[in-house]
Amino acid sequence: MAELFNVYPLYDIEPVRAEGSYLWDVNGTRYLDLYGGHAVISVGHTHPRYVQALTDQLHKISFYSNSVRIPQQQELADKLTALAGLDDYALFLCNSGAEANENALKLASFHNGRKKIVAFTKSFHGRTAGAVAATDNAAIVAPINYNEHVQFTPFNDAVAARAAITDETCAVIVEGIQGVGGIQVATDEFLQALRQRCDETGAILILDGVQCGYGRSGKFFSHQFSGIEADIISMAKGMGNGFPIGGILISPKFKASYGLLGTTFGGNHLACTAAIAVLDIMKDEALMDNATRIGNYLMDGIRQIGGYKDLRGRGLMIGIEYDFPVDELRKTLLFKHRQFTGVAGKSTIRLLPSLALGIDEADQFLEALQKEVTQLV
């Protein structure tokens, strides 16, 4: 019998069905999904409009390469830039967040001919060569992943960032809210300083919106709270609600040329159909407003429960940091209360539910959290 390469620690749970914010396992047990498979489920599991759109497209054509016209790409670009309020940006489509960041870094280097990168402590940008080099985790950077050109400075330290960004800097890559880093929210002062310093030096400002984008924060991209514009914005995860798709939005300062960027599977018929359905649902069901409303409700409830060291986040991207390891708390929530949550590091519970999460589901989590935290603190 063949073996899978054992790189993932697995819970002994086999989901076989999902709907909205719930999963059912092979035994029929129902679980509340407050993690969305790493922030991927944006509009809810098996949303009927999403399922119907993909079903209809499968009966027409599922794939052809970018050597032919794929009208769904233009529809996706139009709807994405309209909902994000970035009508003058161009769209390049790929397949994942790592690939999006890889292309963002490459495009920046093509543009100004430089190679030095400024990134930040606790960052996570992906596992491919360029993206992982800019990720602050030595354990996943292999010897082949050249990273001598990357300088890490403290996240949210505007003074240190300004000193690090010079006329030799190719690009600055930053998450508006760090996900893997523990739901660390970038301050307005920090992001505005990055924008100003990039303008002064000709460096390219890349906003990694892979996890904190696509409406999760209550705005389409979390950096929009700070009133800045990025040169390139990367995205993936919630973009396809489970169908693999990623992309970068590119400001008008960049000039395209044939062969500059490329991909085999990026922007295929099914991927674009999934992403269009997500945008239509987000717009018609006002899911960014819902993310703000339910996110505030959860944060208020968590504050009332107390017992935490720090509470961070925006919208439905929430980190609850405790002064003890949270692995057992997470397992208790999963196996006793049947609720999927995530972690960041050893002491932070991470919530990344569907943007369609409701009050009833939020109350289920708050009730379970109160019962368990009361016994731990």
Side-chain angles (χ1 to χ4, degrees):
M1 183 176 178
E3 291 186 0
L4 297 174
F5 200 51
N6 189 19
V7 293
Y8 299 117
L10 301 178
Y11 290 120
D12 189 19
I13 298 171
E14 183 184 344
V16 294
R17 185 168 69 88
E19 181 179 346
S21 292
Y22 294 96
L23 303 167
W24 286 262
D25 70 11
V26 68
N27 300 312
T29 303
R30 189 181 78 166
Y31 297 82
L32 175 61
D33 185 7
L34 296 163
Y35 195 56
H38 305 301
V40 166
I41 300 301
S42 51
V43 299
H45 291 281
T46 61
H47 191 291
R49 287 181 64 181
Y50 175 85
V51 171
Q52 190 62 56
L54 282 169
T55 301
D56 291 345
Q57 187 60 48
L58 272 168
H59 286 293
K60 298 173 184 175
I61 179 173
S62 61
F63 173 82
Y64 207 76
S65 73
N66 285 295
S67 60
V68 299
R69 292 188 180 277
I70 301 175
Q72 290 92 337
Q73 293 182 355
Q74 186 63 56
E75 182 181 358
L76 173 56
D78 290 343
K79 289 182 173 180
L80 170 56
T81 55
L83 195 58
L86 299 168
D87 291 324
D88 57 344
Y89 281 59
L91 176 64
F92 174 77
L93 292 164
C94 53
N95 308 284
S96 69
E99 189 180 342
N101 284 326
E102 200 80 22
N103 280 283
L105 291 164
K106 181 187 291 187
L107 183 59
S109 187
F110 275 135
H111 178 76
N112 58 24
R114 306 173 187 175
K115 66 179 182 181
K116 292 187 176 180
I117 303 298
V118 172
F120 299 94
T121 53
K122 297 186 178 181
S123 62
F124 186 93
H125 299 294
R127 294 175 182 269
T128 53
V132 80
T135 291
D136 185 25
N137 183 350
I140 64 171
V141 180
I144 199 173
N145 298 132
Y146 170 82
N147 66 355
E148 286 79 1
H149 62 303
V150 181
Q151 179 179 351
F152 292 96
T153 66
F155 186 73
N156 269 338
D157 187 333
V159 174
R162 285 188 63 86
I165 303 166
T166 72
D167 293 340
E168 294 184 346
T169 302
C170 167
V172 177
I173 184 166
V174 63
E175 300 155 89
I177 304 174
Q178 291 185 330
V180 175
I183 317 297
Q184 309 290 339
V185 181
T187 65
D188 293 345
E189 177 193 13
F190 177 61
L191 291 181
Q192 290 164 7
L194 297 183
R195 177 70 275 172
Q196 182 182 30
R197 189 60 178 150
C198 285
D199 289 340
E200 292 168 356
T201 61
I204 298 303
L205 180 58
I206 301 169
L207 264 296
D208 180 343
V210 170
Q211 189 170 132
C212 61
Y214 250 77
R216 179 156 296 281
S217 67
K219 288 189 180 291
F220 202 90
F221 294 111
S222 62
H223 70 269
Q224 292 174 319
F225 282 98
S226 299
I228 66 163
E229 292 187 354
D231 297 315
I232 306 174
I233 306 167
S234 60
M235 58 203 148
K237 291 196 182 292
M239 189 175 183
N241 200 52
F243 199 101
I245 183 171
I248 53 175
L249 283 171
I250 305 162
S251 79
K253 71 170 57 176
F254 297 89
K255 180 176 174 56
S257 62
Y258 292 148
L260 186 70
L261 303 176
T263 172
T264 296
F265 295 103
N268 67 72
H269 296 78
L270 277 178
C272 287
T273 297
I276 290 165
V278 166
L279 290 171
D280 287 343
I281 294 165
M282 286 177 62
K283 180 181 178 181
D284 293 348
E285 298 186 8
L287 292 189
M288 285 190 285
D289 290 342
N290 189 70
T292 298
R293 182 173 65 92
I294 302 298
N296 288 339
Y297 183 84
L298 278 168
M299 297 272 270
D300 288 343
I302 295 164
R303 289 188 189 98
Q304 291 175 30
I305 293 168
Y308 55 81
K309 179 180 177 182
D310 195 17
L311 177 62
R312 302 181 294 270
R314 271 183 169 142
L316 287 173
M317 188 171 186
I318 297 172
I320 318 166
E321 183 178 354
Y322 295 95
D323 58 6
F324 54 82
V326 295
D327 187 56
E328 287 304 314
L329 174 58
R330 184 192 189 192
K331 287 181 180 178
T332 300
L333 289 170
L334 179 58
F335 291 106
K336 178 180 175 181
H337 297 280
R338 311 299 185 189
Q339 297 179 3
F340 276 94
T341 60
V343 295
K346 296 185 179 298
S347 59
T348 300
I349 292 288
R350 185 163 44 141
L351 303 181
L352 301 165
S354 157
L355 307 187
L357 190 77
I359 292 290
D360 288 346
E361 289 81 18
D363 282 339
Q364 289 177 48
F365 170 73
L366 293 172
E367 181 180 349
L369 185 69
Q370 183 169 28
K371 286 179 180 178
E372 300 309 323
V373 168
T374 300
Q375 299 178 42
L376 291 169
V377 298

